[in-house]
């Protein structure tokens, strides 16, 4: 046992000691070279701190591999090539740390090194998928490597964050190899583990040196490339599954950054505001995961870092547990996906989804003739495509209920009959000439009748095709009609659902702002709905949020309309204003001059702004 453990211990200790010695030296050299992160509005550090510390990790790990690799027998031709490319990416990073290269030039360098890893070093996904065409293998490999490099580069915004996450990822990936009985392949991982652990001694809060681009890109390259070297049992989980979970935090943060910056770039172009370069995809911002956790934790760097460490450990644990349980791995992965989905939505709700909502709202209310013509041109085809999807979903549920085997013959014949017949009656009943955002009950009755006639007609046709006979024609007609009607009606409520969702996101964002007017609405009827709709339509420039409703109908007390609570009657308005800290009251009901005087008397001591939202018919000729 000792003889088995000793090689790993030698590799770990050599990388650890070398990095521990080299880091203070690199720190002082970089300080003298002027490679220092000075405090500015975007940075977390409040004192100048040297960057480029990743060179110490690179030197310690490289020296360990080149020295002990041949002696202990774990070095290889591919390993030497990967080492050379890792050194190259670190050198590119140190040049960027010194001279601040243009983002596009830096990305070009990353792409070339990733391409060399595929073409020269022979690293790629083809070892797992032999049938994968060379061009796809190249694209996937370059994307994987470049993505990981930038993921660690972007997440490196807190003391010890990128190096700590890389350490967790490396431990997780080496653990995956142990699970599949390939401990011999993990010895190189121990060099990186030793280097990262030693560097954390200086990089953990309060940090005396930062990784810089030289370090973040170096570890991103190695963490992405090492799982692709060599094949092993459970190859996909070892080479892709666990690494994705292990790098989950940096990957998620990078994906959000790309989405967020792309949306903001489009918004700035549409609204023609902002300075030149602001909102570009490659322009830094302060909405990374660590920035959000910092804001919620009162700017506590250690708490923020440990929160992200914990998330990374949990993700790795799920991956390893899935490999250990084998037959129950699917359940573990589904559980991980479910938890991740909740966390992701919660995290995205106030920033990325809010920005996306602003973009969609801006496009929807664009007054330009060009945009209006474009929207009008695509409205009917989009409704048609949506209906095809809904009918398809209804049919899938239908065949599941009746336990019908799905095959090519069924889809080409029975489903085609259902689809074409249903679409025919939808056209005949003029559903595609209806403006559904302003639809009334009669429009929905016509839609349901179209679904009924389409179901009956298609069922009659299918009834005379024996191989598709369900054995219960009345039951099949009833079930398919109900399913298709529910799905077709539901998709037409999507617009209202999206509108309400955008308003909810708008409110979630406004709650955290101090310059927002908090509105208490008097009246819970149609005028309230119209007022709320106007706020939704102005979500890109809105600076008001509804915090409560009052209404003189006492049966409504304590109930909710659109997520807003009806808190009492007008007589209780002063107390409610104080309770919700409202600074404006909007009257959204019909009142006469006498009742307006009552309202003024009731609210005169509350010192709030009072407005009347109304719609009137006025004779003009």
């Amino acid at each position: 046992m000792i003889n088995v453990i000793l090689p790993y211990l030698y590799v770990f200790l050599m990388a650890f000691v070398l990095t521990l010695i080299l880091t203070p030296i690199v720190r002082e050299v970089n300080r003298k070279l002027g490679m220092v992160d000075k405090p500015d509005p975007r940075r977390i550090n409040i004192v100048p701190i040297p960057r480029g510390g990743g060179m110490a990790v690179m030197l310690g790990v490289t020296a360990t591999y080149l020295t002990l690799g041949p002696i202990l027998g774990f070095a290889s031709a591919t390993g030497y090539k990967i080492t050379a490319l890792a050194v190259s990416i670190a050198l590119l990073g140190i040049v960027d740390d010194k001279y601040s290269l243009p983002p596009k030039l830096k990305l070009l360098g990353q792409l070339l090194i990733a391409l060399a890893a595929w073409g020269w070093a022979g690293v790629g996904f083809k070892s797992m998928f032999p049938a994968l065409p060379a061009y796809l293998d190249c694209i996937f490999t370059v994307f994987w490597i470049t993505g990981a490099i930038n993921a660690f580069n972007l997440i490196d915004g807190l003391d010890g964050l990128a190096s700590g996450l890389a350490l967790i990822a490396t431990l997780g990936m080496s653990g995956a190899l142990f699970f599949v009985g390939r401990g011999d392949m993990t010895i190189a991982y121990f060099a990186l583990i030793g280097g990262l652990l030693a560097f954390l001694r200086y990089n953990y809060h309060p940090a005396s040196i930062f990784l810089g681009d030289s370090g973040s890109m170096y570890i991103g390259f190695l963490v992405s490339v090492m799982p692709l070297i060599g094949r092993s049992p459970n190859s996909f989980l070892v080479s892709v599954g666990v690494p994705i979970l292990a790098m989950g935090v940096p990957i998620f943060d990078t994906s959000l950054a790309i989405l967020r910056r792309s949306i903001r770039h489009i918004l700035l172009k549409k609204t023609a505001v902002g300075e030149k370069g602001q909102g570009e995809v490659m322009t830094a911002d302060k909405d990374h995961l660590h920035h959000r956790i910092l804001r919620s934790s009162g700017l506590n760097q250690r708490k923020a870092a440990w929160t992200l460490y914990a998330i990374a450990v949990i993700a790795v644990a799920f991956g390893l547990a899935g490999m250990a349980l084998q037959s129950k791995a699917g359940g573990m992965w589904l559980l991980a996906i479910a938890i991740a989905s909740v966390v992701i939505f919660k995290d995205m709700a106030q920033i990325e989804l809010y920005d996306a909502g602003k973009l969609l709202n801006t496009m929807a209310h664009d007054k330009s003739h060009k945009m209006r013509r474009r929207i009008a041109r695509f409205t009917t085809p989009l409704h048609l495509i949506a209906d095809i999807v809904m009918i398809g979903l209804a049919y899938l549920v239908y065949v599941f209920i009746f336990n019908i085997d799905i095959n090519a013959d069924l889809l080409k014949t029975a489903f085609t009959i259902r689809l074409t017949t249903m679409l025919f009656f939808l056209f005949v009943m003029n559903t595609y000439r209806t403006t559904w955002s302003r639809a009334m009950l009669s429009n929905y009755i016509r839609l349901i009748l179209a679904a009924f006639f389409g179901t009956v007609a298609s069922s009659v046709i299918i009834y005379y095709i024996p191989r598709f006979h369900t054995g219960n024609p009345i039951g099949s007609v009833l079930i398919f009609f109900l399913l298709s009607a529910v799905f077709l009606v539901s998709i037409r409520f999507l617009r209202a659902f999206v509108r309400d969702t955008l308003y909810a996101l708008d409110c979630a964002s406004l709650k955290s702002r101090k310059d927002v007017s908090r509105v208490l609405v008097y009246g819970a009827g149609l005028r309230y709905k119209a007022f709320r709709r106007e706020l939704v339509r102005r979500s890109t420039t809105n600076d008001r949020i509804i915090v409560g409703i009052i209404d003189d109908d006492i049966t409504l007390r304590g109930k909710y309309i659109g997520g807003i609570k009806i808190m009492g009657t007008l007589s209780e308005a002063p107390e409610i204003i104080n309770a919700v800290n409202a600074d404006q009251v909007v009257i959204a009901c019909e009142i006469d001059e006498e009742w307006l005087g009552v309202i003024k008397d009731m609210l005169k001591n509350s010192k709030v702004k009072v407005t009347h939202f109304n719609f009137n018919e006025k004779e003009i000729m």
Side-chain angles (χ1 to χ4, degrees), residues 585-598:
V585 173
V586 174
I587 303 170
C589 57
E590 187 176 359
I591 55 173
D592 54 25
E593 289 299 324
E594 181 181 356
W595 192 247
L596 181 60
V598 173

Side-chain angles (χ1 to χ4, degrees), residues 202-357:
Y202 304 96
N203 188 227
Y204 188 67
H205 184 75
S208 61
I209 187 170
F210 292 152
L211 272 174
D213 281 10
S214 59
S216 60
M217 293 200 302
Y218 172 76
I219 62 178
F221 177 81
L222 282 184
V223 169
S224 64
V225 168
M226 289 170 72
L228 301 180
I229 301 174
R231 296 193 62 181
S232 62
N234 247 337
S235 187
F236 180 78
L237 286 177
V238 174
S239 302
V240 179
V242 173
I244 285 177
L245 288 174
M247 293 188 285
V249 172
I251 289 173
F252 177 51
D253 183 62
T254 302
S255 302
L256 285 189
I258 294 171
L259 173 65
R260 179 176 64 249
R261 295 173 187 179
S262 299
I263 292 171
R264 289 177 178 174
H265 177 58
I266 297 171
L267 273 173
L268 287 172
K269 286 178 65 177
K270 282 189 167 293
T271 55
V273 297
E275 301 175 359
K276 184 178 180 181
Q278 185 180 356
E280 295 288 345
V281 175
M282 302 184 78
T283 301
D285 59 28
K286 295 193 71 173
D287 281 318
H288 288 285
L289 294 179
H290 49 274
H291 290 124
R292 303 183 197 191
I293 297 174
L294 273 176
R295 289 194 288 266
S296 65
S297 64
L299 301 180
N300 187 321
Q301 285 207 51
R302 290 193 178 188
K303 184 176 179 180
W306 275 101
T307 299
L308 292 171
Y309 289 165
I311 294 172
V313 169
I314 292 169
V316 170
F318 266 106
L320 296 181
M323 294 185 66
L325 293 173
Q326 295 180 355
S327 62
K328 298 180 181 178
M332 291 295 299
W333 283 85
L334 285 175
L335 179 60
I337 291 170
I339 295 172
S341 299
V342 173
V343 174
I344 287 170
F345 183 82
K346 183 178 183 298
D347 189 74
M348 291 176 65
Q350 292 192 19
I351 298 180
E352 284 78 20
L353 291 180
Y354 172 65
D355 287 340

